[in-house]
Amino acid sequence: MTTESQSLCTRSMQAPSSHHRRAWCPSFKLREVASMYCTMVAIFFIILVAALQGTAPSENHFPYKVPLDPEGILELSWNISYTEEVICFQLLIKELKYGVIFGMSDRGEFENADLVVLWSDGKNSYFGDAWTDAKGQIHLDSQQDYQLLKAQKTFGGLLLLFKRPISTHDPRDYLIEDDTVHLVYGFLDEPFPSLEAINTSAIQKGLQRVQLLKPNISKPTLPPDLENMEITAPNIIIPNQETTYWCYIKELPDHFSRHHIVMYEPIITKGNEALVHHMEVFQCAAEIEKVPHFNGTCDSKMKPEKLNHCRHVLAAWALGAKPFYYPEEAGLPFGGPGSSKFLRLEVHYHNPLELKGLHDSSGLRLHYTSTLRPFDAGIMELGLVYTPVMAIPPKETDFILTGYCTDKCTKLALPQSGIHIFASQLHTHLTGRKVITVLAREGRVTEIVNRDNHYSPHFQEIRKLKKIVTVLPGDVLITSCTYNTEDRKLATVGGFSITEEMCVNYIHYYPQTQLELCKSAVDLGYLQKYFRLINSFNNEDNGNYSNSSVKEQFASVSWNSFSRDVLKSLYDFAPISMHCNKSSAVRFPGEWERQPLPEIKVGLEEVTPQCQTTPGLSPASPALVNIDGKKG
Amino acid sequence: MTTESQSLCTRSMQAPSSHHRRAWCPSFKLREVASMYCTMVAIFFIILVAALQGTAPSENHFPYKVPLDPEGILELSWNISYTEEVICFQLLIKELKYGVIFGMSDRGEFENADLVVLWSDGKNSYFGDAWTDAKGQIHLDSQQDYQLLKAQKTFGGLLLLFKRPISTHDPRDYLIEDDTVHLVYGFLDEPFPSLEAINTSAIQKGLQRVQLLKPNISKPTLPPDLENMEITAPNIIIPNQETTYWCYIKELPDHFSRHHIVMYEPIITKGNEALVHHMEVFQCAAEIEKVPHFNGTCDSKMKPEKLNHCRHVLAAWALGAKPFYYPEEAGLPFGGPGSSKFLRLEVHYHNPLELKGLHDSSGLRLHYTSTLRPFDAGIMELGLVYTPVMAIPPKETDFILTGYCTDKCTKLALPQSGIHIFASQLHTHLTGRKVITVLAREGRVTEIVNRDNHYSPHFQEIRKLKKIVTVLPGDVLITSCTYNTEDRKLATVGGFSITEEMCVNYIHYYPQTQLELCKSAVDLGYLQKYFRLINSFNNEDNGNYSNSSVKEQFASVSWNSFSRDVLKSLYDFAPISMHCNKSSAVRFPGEWERQPLPEIKVGLEEVTPQCQTTPGLSPASPALVNIDGKKG
């Protein structure tokens, strides 16, 4: 029995048992006739499973793990079977009162969420697949796609094991894709007579972001001469404030020769798993001879200005991410001549409970080899130039800005055999909500390089691509970001400040080329025509605006349907200024101003999820849960 | 048996037999298990029905009838049961060779069409529910929603009786709505071994437009003192050309006093049923004392200019339309002082085979009473003013222009208790594809007055509304037309010419008010700003355009994504000039220039058709048809 229940969450099984159950639940009138029988079978099945009291599946069954709440009371582990199209969750509840809520929603809200709920009426405990409506009211789902496999008390707490198909075809369920997923959780501190009686606005709850569907890539073998270097915070005390970005400068050893980083992994100080949100290691610019040592918050007034020249990403990790492996044929070069000795570690601590006096030595461990691999890996910036000419009007819910890497630039800068993108890190500032980069060849969008429809600026990680994307000379790369400026009063312009915006995709690729930056922005002359036109339409002062900055001109626009629509039309039409650069300052030779927008004749062919109900799934009644079993 | 087969196509039956069959066809695995049984039941059922050789259902079972082809070889009759949600067709095939195709498609094309096919392989005949893909290739539909009820040889030809649910939930089927339906037909002149072998591009085929779903309105009782007057062509010879508009002036008798038209009906000369496409009776303007008698084509050079003053619609009929009844409480006034004695009959003959020497005396019979009803009925024009400022760029597939009847105008012109719209005639010129009028109250769209998503300028009829719409003072009426200018090289501007465009809804309502015209157009000053802006963006001659007409200025615009998008934005934003008129020349007092667009906060709430497969319908195999039965 134990083996059977375990195998439901491993990849070895061929036919999940739900298939068998489906066959016994026909639809329409026969369904009614047979419903009593179906219900009996289902109840028997659930009681049977819930009564199983075996040992927990061993750790390696759940390669992924994140704490959900800041105190780490709820801990989620999961695994994915792409062959069975099932995702299996293990929720460890360290302190159980009267139940917990776990689920997913568009951006972490408790409205329109897809939930599983474990609740108690004071006597019995129940488990059900539920959803919330637009007002946050919980309802039992008519199609029970989350299937409870086990509920077991252990010394560590209650373990809940449940699974669901990756794709359920139930419009009430969250569509799990390979981008950011906003997990939501809540604690039930009192008994509830029914699921509907739970008031989600009154409970302690929160959200956690994670990439649930990690790509199914086999680990490359590591070279035998692997060495490693830990870039960690030097036992600092985490400030008792919600958000801290900690900066620490680390110097490479003298005469450190050229190496290839082939893997890196996180080091998290035990106990701080819920506090360390993300970490990045940057290399400083080679031109800066001496970067002063520093150990403090990144926004400190004491932070030396020179640290701003440490922007070249070497490694990045975010909550839930596993060790990052380079493809077998490539490594990221560091060390040696022409490479700075100085590294900057940045750790983002998320401490919403403002806990005091916690020591931390988290960071990243870089694994590198002196036996250089066939190819140097490189990082290239796609998207928009950091300039105020690209702006988002205020009060927009989904305004799109697009940056281009044109055929002219890729023809000039890429080798004949192309480059191979294996990972990508998307980046915007605070109003970014979605990011996508597509590849277009001969006027036709052929591939998605990377897409996040639930992008959060608070959750940026380097993601391995499911499939390496090859970019040939003459290809076009188009990066679009969707912004929400509902809470802004003035236009949000492009720029470096956190209140300004960016639209960037850092692609990780090999072989390295001279092209570091392939980005665009609208032509300034056309933008000036836009300002003149809009001011004339709005019957405003037609004076000479040439003395005002672009940011000031955007600030003076009256935002109405016309000025909004025409700005969109302008960005879809006007020629662009291309940055086809060897470094942020040096362009490839050529004419890059007033370039035509790439012509895309055939857009992305989206596969719309099949809209089909699957009658015959579990009938809509919660499962009775036996959680008084023997201790593990 | 005969009674049973007939009752399948009448309104008296409560439970259509398909319901019973569904119950025996469960889904998924059980379906497979039971499929043999289901197939057997279905085949037995079809053979049983097909073998029935009773008399044809009597004429009054099929209130609606149209010829499909110009020679009248195919004649379609139909009835609708709104309670059973079924539409029943009777196709009379006067000369059968090896089969016929009948069906529906978006605009009458043979691609993406929903079809029934009767075909013969030389030995047996088959009937099946089919569809064509985007290339016109025929496929058997996996869901057989058209159900053959009878195939019977009579002296008049072969009668095919079949039905389908109004809504099938099959994405391959045409969604029948209460607007124009483009029926398609084709003749099979040779045997085909299979359905897939039929090459639709090589067969004789055509289209016919009709409103299939007529509203279910009970006939009002007619007054006892009913008189009638026939306005008919005086035994003319139909010209042997595809399209003829015939004009004929008829004078009312001397001292003809004020009457109410309460009903009118078509008179079609026998044998010309397929040639008479539509007919209208207009009253001339009362100001014109003497209109010369005329009998000839409307585009004749001999036609007196004064006939252009006969534009006030009294009655209109188009193919497939039944007699038009006014609501019991209202009638259309004509005769008496202040009303012209002259009526203009216009008959549109559609003679694609260019038949020669056919005599015709078709027309309309007006039924009227001298006992005036409580309310005079009126006709009001909604939509766009006939002005070139409203224009459609060339090469557009679905460009929308919108005209408004504002709250300010309805407040001024409508009585406190409002007006009641009971019928509507939509009108555009050649590029019109869709027309809709909605009613908005307090910023919220509350009702559709009339909508045609398959509108054709070649099929304009006065349609009774399913439900009378009451318009109160302060309400807003918004009329939008969608145009297709793919075949145009220059912008299509608004105007009277057939190559210019209109967007009009003639609403028929009571009680009559002084308001004859409630239409709008964009403010000319804002349009001039648009021209200046676009010319500056396109770097064109910035000269003074004030000497050019609006039509010339539109002709000189360079059409690209920007000039197209900005024109749309302009029409969605710029203030309007309102025509809130007592007659085409006299405005109600008030300020009507530079009026703000009505603010619509909540748009139309569309009920999206439920996307759900209905497993358990007839399995996908054609039905064997026995058509060698005894002669009727």
Side-chain angles (χ1 to χ4, degrees):
Chain A
M1 293 295 248
T2 304
T3 317
E4 190 193 335
S5 107
Q6 270 194 9
S7 74
L8 291 170
C9 265
T10 58
R11 292 160 196 219
S12 54
M13 239 185 78
Q14 289 308 310
S17 64
S18 68
H19 285 193
H20 297 293
R21 291 171 53 219
R22 269 192 208 172
W24 293 105
C25 290
S27 65
F28 296 101
K29 298 218 170 166
L30 237 194
R31 186 200 227 175
E32 288 152 36
V33 177
S35 79
M36 231 169 52
Y37 177 63
C38 286
T39 309
M40 280 170 56
V41 169
I43 289 175
F44 172 69
F45 182 82
I46 287 161
I47 291 178
L48 187 79
V49 169
L52 291 174
Q53 298 296 338
T55 55
S58 66
E59 187 64 30
N60 61 3
H61 281 114
F62 294 102
Y64 312 115
K65 186 162 83 172
V66 285
L68 291 182
D69 60 305
E71 291 175 280
I73 294 170
L74 281 179
E75 192 179 82
L76 180 77
S77 310
W78 75 97
N79 67 42
I80 310 143
S81 166
Y82 286 101
T83 51
E84 291 171 33
E85 298 183 354
V86 163
I87 182 159
C88 185
F89 298 97
Q90 180 182 273
L91 195 60
L92 174 61
I93 308 157
K94 294 180 187 164
E95 294 166 26
L96 178 67
K97 288 182 178 166
Y98 287 90
V100 291
I101 297 176
F102 164 77
M104 303 152 202
S105 69
D106 184 32
R107 302 201 63 82
E109 57 287 324
F110 249 72
E111 292 80 29
N112 300 314
D114 173 20
L115 303 175
V116 293
V117 184
L118 174 77
W119 83 98
S120 166
D121 59 8
K123 207 172 137 197
N124 292 311
S125 292
Y126 303 90
F127 175 92
D129 180 351
W131 56 281
T132 53
D133 58 27
K135 288 176 177 166
Q137 171 63 49
I138 300 188
H139 305 275
L140 192 68
D141 202 334
S142 60
Q143 188 177 309
Q144 295 282 301
D145 295 290
Y146 288 89
Q147 187 186 344
L148 181 64
L149 301 175
K150 180 149 65 171
Q152 181 191 25
K153 265 190 179 163
T154 67
F155 283 119
L158 179 74
L159 274 180
L160 269 190
L161 193 66
F162 52 95
K163 68 173 188 179
R164 71 160 251 196
I166 294 174
S167 172
T168 63
H169 304 297
D170 178 354
R172 303 285 187 206
D173 288 344
Y174 183 88
L175 177 66
I176 305 178
E177 293 181 295
D178 57 1
D179 57 356
T180 305
V181 176
H182 289 70
L183 303 175
V184 296
Y185 63 86
F187 296 99
L188 304 182
D189 292 344
E190 50 177 321
F192 288 98
S194 73
L195 191 67
E196 285 73 20
I198 301 170
N199 178 359
T200 56
S201 64
I203 63 171
Q204 185 202 331
K205 57 185 183 286
L207 73 92
Q208 181 67 288
R209 297 179 186 92
V210 74
Q211 184 191 26
L212 273 183
L213 291 193
K214 309 276 184 186
N216 197 10
I217 303 170
S218 56
K219 274 182 202 169
T221 53
L222 292 175
D225 65 344
L226 206 63
E227 293 177 84
N228 73 66
M229 177 188 296
E230 295 187 356
I231 321 284
T232 53
N235 195 26
I236 65 144
I237 294 171
I238 301 173
N240 57 333
Q241 58 193 28
E242 178 164 356
T243 300
T244 300
Y245 281 83
W246 194 271
C247 276
Y248 171 66
I249 292 290
K250 163 109 180 180
E251 198 174 336
L252 292 180
D254 281 343
H255 313 297
F256 187 76
S257 66
R258 188 173 173 86
H259 288 79
H260 268 169
I261 299 172
V262 296
M263 190 269 265
Y264 59 85
E265 59 186 342
I267 303 165
I268 314 280
T269 299
K270 203 161 167 59
N272 294 350
E273 290 83 356
L275 295 153
V276 179
H277 186 271
H278 77 252
M279 304 184 283
E280 286 186 88
V281 174
F282 301 92
Q283 190 163 34
C284 301
E287 303 88 75
I288 312 290
E289 252 181 55
K290 181 72 192 158
V291 177
H293 281 234
F294 180 73
N295 183 35
T297 62
C298 299
D299 59 356
S300 159
K301 282 171 189 158
M302 308 293 290
K303 193 184 78 167
E305 192 279 331
K306 280 188 177 167
L307 264 64
N308 294 336
H309 296 272
C310 309
R311 296 182 164 276
H312 179 74
V313 177
L314 277 193
W317 171 92
L319 253 168
K322 299 292 294 176
F324 185 92
Y325 287 81
Y326 278 82
E328 219 147 326
E329 56 275 34
L332 187 69
F334 84 133
S339 166
S340 172
K341 283 174 65 179
F342 298 95
L343 306 183
R344 178 165 66 103
L345 171 71
E346 198 174 303
V347 184
H348 172 199
Y349 294 103
H350 182 64
N351 183 7
L353 303 175
E354 303 187 354
L355 306 172
K356 275 186 192 173
L358 292 171
H359 285 252
D360 189 70
S361 302
S362 298
L364 292 169
R365 186 180 293 119
L366 309 179
H367 296 260
Y368 55 90
T369 170
S370 55
T371 317
L372 298 183
R373 288 179 163 185
F375 300 109
D376 282 353
I379 299 171
M380 190 190 300
E381 260 185 60
L382 305 177
L384 286 178
V385 180
Y386 308 134
T387 154
V389 300
M390 300 305 296
I392 308 129
K395 313 288 172 208
E396 294 280 349
T397 55
D398 49 359
F399 197 91
I400 299 174
L401 293 182
T402 299
Y404 300 88
C405 175
T406 59
D407 53 339
K408 189 169 173 179
C409 179
T410 59
K411 256 180 209 151
L412 200 69
L414 300 192
Q416 213 47 43
S417 56
I419 57 167
H420 311 287
I421 309 175
F422 57 89
S424 153
Q425 184 184 16
L426 308 175
H427 179 71
T428 75
H429 286 168
L430 300 174
T431 68
R433 295 293 179 269
K434 295 180 186 188
V435 185
I436 183 172
T437 297
V438 296
L439 173 80
R441 185 168 291 166
E442 288 160 7
R444 182 182 283 268
V445 174
T446 56
E447 231 170 323
I448 296 174
V449 176
N450 192 10
R451 168 165 64 175
D452 197 332
N453 279 335
H454 303 87
Y455 175 84
S456 167
H458 306 297
F459 188 66
Q460 304 185 8
E461 54 180 351
I462 300 180
R463 288 188 184 150
K464 291 292 279 279
L465 304 185
K466 267 182 298 191
K467 180 181 154 291
I468 283 182
V469 174
T470 297
V471 186
L472 298 176
D475 285 352
V476 176
L477 291 160
I478 305 170
T479 302
S480 293
C481 296
T482 307
Y483 302 93
N484 181 309
T485 56
E486 277 178 296
D487 62 349
R488 301 274 170 110
K489 284 188 181 146
L490 293 176
T492 300
V493 297
F496 286 95
S497 154
I498 189 69
T499 59
E500 297 173 332
E501 266 306 339
M502 290 190 172
C503 178
V504 182
N505 183 354
Y506 297 96
I507 53 168
H508 296 246
Y509 72 96
Y510 68 90
Q512 195 178 32
T513 70
Q514 282 196 297
L515 185 63
E516 281 206 359
L517 212 145
C518 192
K519 311 203 292 186
S520 73
V522 73
D523 175 80
L524 180 61
Y526 275 77
L527 183 68
Q528 295 297 358
K529 286 185 186 187
Y530 167 81
F531 287 129
R532 279 197 297 276
L533 145 79
I534 289 300
N535 290 324
S536 119
F537 257 79
N538 290 340
N539 290 318
E540 275 152 19
D541 173 24
N542 261 317
N544 189 345
Y545 279 85
S546 57
N547 290 330
S548 306
S549 70
V550 167
K551 192 171 176 174
E552 283 164 345
Q553 289 186 83
F554 268 119
S556 72
V557 168
S558 285
W559 294 108
N560 51 45
S561 79
F562 189 70
S563 52
R564 290 167 195 274
D565 285 353
V566 177
L567 185 63
K568 275 182 216 161
S569 307
L570 178 87
Y571 287 148
D572 285 344
F573 169 77
I576 51 177
S577 161
M578 264 306 296
H579 285 214
C580 180
N581 291 16
K582 296 186 183 181
S583 70
S584 60
V586 184
R587 286 191 179 183
F588 274 85
E591 178 51 52
W592 301 108
E593 295 304 325
R594 294 217 163 197
Q595 297 296 297
L597 285 182
E599 209 183 312
I600 302 301
K601 291 174 213 113
V602 183
L604 193 61
E605 274 180 38
E606 285 282 8
V607 182
T608 47
Q610 285 235 334
C611 171
Q612 198 175 341
T613 55
T614 50
L617 266 189
S618 307
S621 60
L624 196 65
V625 182
N626 177 359
I627 51 177
D628 298 320
K630 68 165 190 258
K631 289 179 181 174
Chain B
M1 292 295 250
T2 303
T3 318
E4 190 193 333
S5 107
Q6 269 193 7
S7 76
L8 290 169
C9 265
T10 58
R11 291 157 199 223
S12 55
M13 238 185 78
Q14 288 310 308
S17 64
S18 67
H19 284 194
H20 296 293
R21 291 173 50 222
R22 268 190 208 172
W24 292 105
C25 288
S27 65
F28 295 99
K29 297 220 169 163
L30 239 194
R31 182 201 227 174
E32 290 153 34
V33 177
S35 79
M36 230 166 54
Y37 177 63
C38 287
T39 309
M40 278 170 57
V41 169
I43 287 176
F44 172 68
F45 183 82
I46 287 162
I47 289 176
L48 188 76
V49 169
L52 291 174
Q53 300 295 337
T55 55
S58 66
E59 187 64 30
N60 61 0
H61 281 113
F62 294 102
Y64 312 115
K65 185 162 84 173
V66 284
L68 291 182
D69 60 306
E71 292 175 280
I73 295 170
L74 280 180
E75 193 179 80
L76 180 77
S77 308
W78 74 100
N79 68 42
I80 310 143
S81 166
Y82 285 102
T83 51
E84 290 170 33
E85 297 183 356
V86 164
I87 182 160
C88 185
F89 298 98
Q90 180 184 271
L91 196 60
L92 173 61
I93 308 157
K94 294 180 187 165
E95 294 164 26
L96 178 67
K97 289 184 178 165
Y98 287 90
V100 291
I101 297 176
F102 164 77
M104 303 152 201
S105 69
D106 184 31
R107 302 201 64 80
E109 58 287 322
F110 250 73
E111 292 80 30
N112 300 313
D114 174 21
L115 303 175
V116 293
V117 184
L118 174 76
W119 81 99
S120 165
D121 58 7
K123 208 173 138 198
N124 292 311
S125 291
Y126 303 91
F127 175 92
D129 180 351
W131 56 280
T132 53
D133 57 27
K135 289 175 176 166
Q137 171 62 48
I138 300 188
H139 306 274
L140 191 70
D141 201 335
S142 59
Q143 190 177 307
Q144 294 282 302
D145 294 290
Y146 288 89
Q147 188 186 344
L148 180 65
L149 302 174
K150 179 150 66 172
Q152 181 190 24
K153 265 193 179 161
T154 68
F155 283 118
L158 180 73
L159 275 181
L160 269 191
L161 193 65
F162 52 96
K163 68 174 188 177
R164 70 160 252 196
I166 294 174
S167 171
T168 63
H169 303 296
D170 177 354
R172 302 286 187 207
D173 289 344
Y174 183 88
L175 178 67
I176 305 177
E177 294 181 294
D178 57 1
D179 56 358
T180 304
V181 176
H182 288 71
L183 303 176
V184 296
Y185 63 86
F187 295 100
L188 304 183
D189 292 344
E190 50 177 320
F192 288 98
S194 72
L195 191 67
E196 286 72 20
I198 301 170
N199 178 0
T200 55
S201 65
I203 63 171
Q204 186 203 332
K205 57 185 184 286
L207 73 91
Q208 182 66 289
R209 297 180 186 92
V210 74
Q211 185 191 27
L212 274 183
L213 291 192
K214 310 275 183 188
N216 197 10
I217 303 169
S218 56
K219 275 182 202 168
T221 54
L222 292 174
D225 64 345
L226 205 63
E227 294 176 84
N228 74 65
M229 177 189 294
E230 295 187 356
I231 322 283
T232 53
N235 194 27
I236 65 147
I237 294 171
I238 301 174
N240 57 333
Q241 58 193 30
E242 177 163 357
T243 300
T244 300
Y245 281 84
W246 195 270
C247 275
Y248 171 66
I249 291 290
K250 163 111 180 178
E251 198 173 337
L252 293 180
D254 281 343
H255 313 299
F256 187 77
S257 66
R258 188 174 173 86
H259 289 78
H260 268 169
I261 299 172
V262 296
M263 190 269 265
Y264 59 84
E265 59 187 342
I267 303 165
I268 314 280
T269 299
K270 204 161 164 60
N272 294 349
E273 290 83 356
L275 294 153
V276 179
H277 186 271
H278 77 255
M279 304 184 284
E280 285 187 88
V281 173
F282 301 92
Q283 190 163 35
C284 301
E287 304 88 74
I288 312 289
E289 254 181 54
K290 179 74 192 155
V291 177
H293 280 233
F294 180 73
N295 182 37
T297 62
C298 299
D299 59 357
S300 159
K301 281 170 188 160
M302 308 294 290
K303 194 183 76 167
E305 191 280 331
K306 279 187 177 168
L307 265 65
N308 294 335
H309 296 272
C310 309
R311 297 181 162 274
H312 180 71
V313 177
L314 277 193
W317 171 91
L319 253 169
K322 300 293 293 175
F324 185 91
Y325 288 81
Y326 278 83
E328 220 147 325
E329 57 274 36
L332 187 68
F334 83 134
S339 167
S340 172
K341 282 172 65 179
F342 298 95
L343 306 183
R344 178 165 64 102
L345 170 71
E346 198 174 302
V347 184
H348 172 199
Y349 295 103
H350 182 62
N351 183 7
L353 302 176
E354 303 186 354
L355 306 173
K356 275 184 191 175
L358 292 171
H359 285 254
D360 189 69
S361 302
S362 298
L364 293 169
R365 187 180 292 120
L366 309 178
H367 297 259
Y368 55 91
T369 171
S370 54
T371 317
L372 298 183
R373 288 179 163 183
F375 299 110
D376 283 352
I379 299 172
M380 190 190 298
E381 260 185 60
L382 304 177
L384 285 179
V385 180
Y386 308 135
T387 155
V389 301
M390 300 304 296
I392 307 129
K395 311 290 172 208
E396 294 279 349
T397 56
D398 50 357
F399 197 91
I400 298 173
L401 293 182
T402 299
Y404 300 87
C405 176
T406 59
D407 52 338
K408 189 170 174 180
C409 180
T410 60
K411 255 181 209 149
L412 201 67
L414 300 192
Q416 212 48 46
S417 56
I419 57 167
H420 310 288
I421 309 175
F422 58 87
S424 153
Q425 183 184 16
L426 307 175
H427 178 71
T428 75
H429 286 169
L430 300 174
T431 68
R433 295 294 178 270
K434 295 180 186 187
V435 184
I436 183 172
T437 297
V438 296
L439 172 81
R441 186 168 291 164
E442 288 161 7
R444 182 183 285 267
V445 174
T446 56
E447 230 171 321
I448 295 174
V449 176
N450 192 9
R451 168 164 64 176
D452 197 331
N453 279 335
H454 303 89
Y455 175 83
S456 166
H458 307 296
F459 188 65
Q460 303 185 12
E461 54 180 351
I462 301 180
R463 289 186 184 153
K464 291 291 279 280
L465 304 186
K466 267 182 298 192
K467 181 182 152 288
I468 284 183
V469 174
T470 297
V471 186
L472 298 176
D475 285 353
V476 176
L477 291 160
I478 305 170
T479 302
S480 294
C481 296
T482 306
Y483 301 93
N484 181 311
T485 56
E486 276 179 296
D487 61 350
R488 301 274 170 111
K489 285 188 180 147
L490 294 176
T492 301
V493 297
F496 286 96
S497 155
I498 189 68
T499 57
E500 298 175 332
E501 268 306 339
M502 291 191 171
C503 177
V504 182
N505 184 353
Y506 296 96
I507 53 168
H508 296 245
Y509 72 96
Y510 68 89
Q512 195 179 32
T513 69
Q514 284 196 295
L515 184 63
E516 281 205 0
L517 212 144
C518 193
K519 311 203 293 185
S520 72
V522 72
D523 175 79
L524 180 62
Y526 274 78
L527 183 67
Q528 295 297 357
K529 285 185 186 187
Y530 167 80
F531 288 129
R532 279 199 295 279
L533 144 78
I534 288 299
N535 290 325
S536 121
F537 257 78
N538 291 339
N539 291 316
E540 276 153 20
D541 175 24
N542 260 318
N544 190 346
Y545 280 85
S546 56
N547 290 330
S548 306
S549 70
V550 167
K551 192 172 174 174
E552 284 165 344
Q553 288 185 84
F554 268 119
S556 72
V557 168
S558 285
W559 293 108
N560 51 44
S561 79
F562 190 69
S563 52
R564 290 168 194 275
D565 285 353
V566 177
L567 185 64
K568 275 182 215 159
S569 308
L570 178 87
Y571 287 147
D572 285 344
F573 169 76
I576 51 177
S577 162
M578 262 308 296
H579 285 215
C580 180
N581 292 16
K582 296 184 184 183
S583 70
S584 61
V586 184
R587 287 190 180 185
F588 274 85
E591 177 52 51
W592 300 109
E593 294 305 324
R594 294 217 164 199
Q595 297 297 296
L597 285 182
E599 210 183 310
I600 302 302
K601 292 174 213 115
V602 183
L604 192 62
E605 273 180 38
E606 285 283 8
V607 182
T608 47
Q610 284 235 335
C611 172
Q612 198 175 339
T613 55
T614 50
L617 266 188
S618 305
S621 61
L624 196 65
V625 182
N626 178 358
I627 52 178
D628 298 319
K630 66 165 189 260
K631 289 179 182 177

